[in-house]
Amino acid sequence: MRLRLPVTFLGLGLAAAAGAAVALYAGENDDDRVKRLPGIEILEKVDGKVSTASAAVITIEPGQRGKPHRHTGPVLGYVIEGEFLFAINDEPERVLKAGETFYEPSGAIHRVSGNAGKTRTRIVAWVVHPRELESTVPVDSK
């Protein structure tokens, strides 16, 4: 299998993913909370569109919660440390601990995300999304 790393698209995709992740944590403008990881152009298509896999490590401080959002492709995540409060769509909230993984279907509302513990939480998340779309889209919480 051949993987290609187009610098222009890679930079745009990772900047969009990381910037959106920072914006989802209310009142936070600290880029240190999101560490961009190398992404890759993938051969498979999402909704018939050329796609990218973007990734970031997100650090969430105790008591911090994210804003509701969606992703334009499926998400695979892993809790590196701490306790991650997680809920999508109408599913009940659950606490994921270090070493556990999570999945979000494309377009699902990630309505609850945050730190459920007393120490920092770090997660890594990969989003496979159409290259021309932002990987993360805020949801209006009316």
Side-chain angles (χ1 to χ4, degrees):
M1 181 189 304
R2 189 177 83 180
L3 298 177
R4 296 173 285 167
L5 298 172
V7 176
T8 303
F9 292 124
L10 175 63
L12 291 173
L14 289 176
V22 169
L24 291 172
Y25 287 90
E28 300 298 333
N29 294 316
D30 185 359
D31 284 332
D32 291 338
R33 295 192 189 282
V34 177
K35 178 183 177 187
R36 296 169 182 94
L37 299 177
I40 55 174
E41 175 184 322
I42 60 174
L43 300 176
E44 292 81 11
K45 295 183 177 184
V46 174
D47 293 333
K49 299 174 184 168
V50 178
S51 300
T52 298
S54 301
V57 174
I58 302 165
T59 301
I60 310 166
E61 297 301 327
Q64 189 177 24
R65 290 178 70 116
K67 295 178 182 177
H69 60 278
R70 298 177 191 268
H71 295 284
T72 55
V75 177
L76 298 173
Y78 176 78
V79 181
I80 299 169
E81 68 178 292
E83 297 180 349
F84 182 51
L85 187 60
F86 175 84
I88 57 171
N89 296 326
D90 293 330
E91 293 178 6
E93 292 181 11
R94 57 189 170 126
V95 176
L96 302 172
K97 298 183 186 278
E100 294 187 290
T101 59
F102 59 93
Y103 163 72
E104 298 175 42
S106 179
I109 297 175
H110 189 166
R111 64 179 177 79
V112 176
S113 61
N115 186 329
K118 296 182 192 283
T119 62
R120 80 176 179 177
T121 294
R122 287 189 319 133
I123 62 170
V124 61
W126 283 91
V127 182
V128 179
H129 60 95
R131 190 178 305 142
E132 74 274 5
L133 298 177
E134 297 284 337
S135 64
T136 306
V137 180
V139 171
D140 190 14
S141 55
K142 294 178 182 177

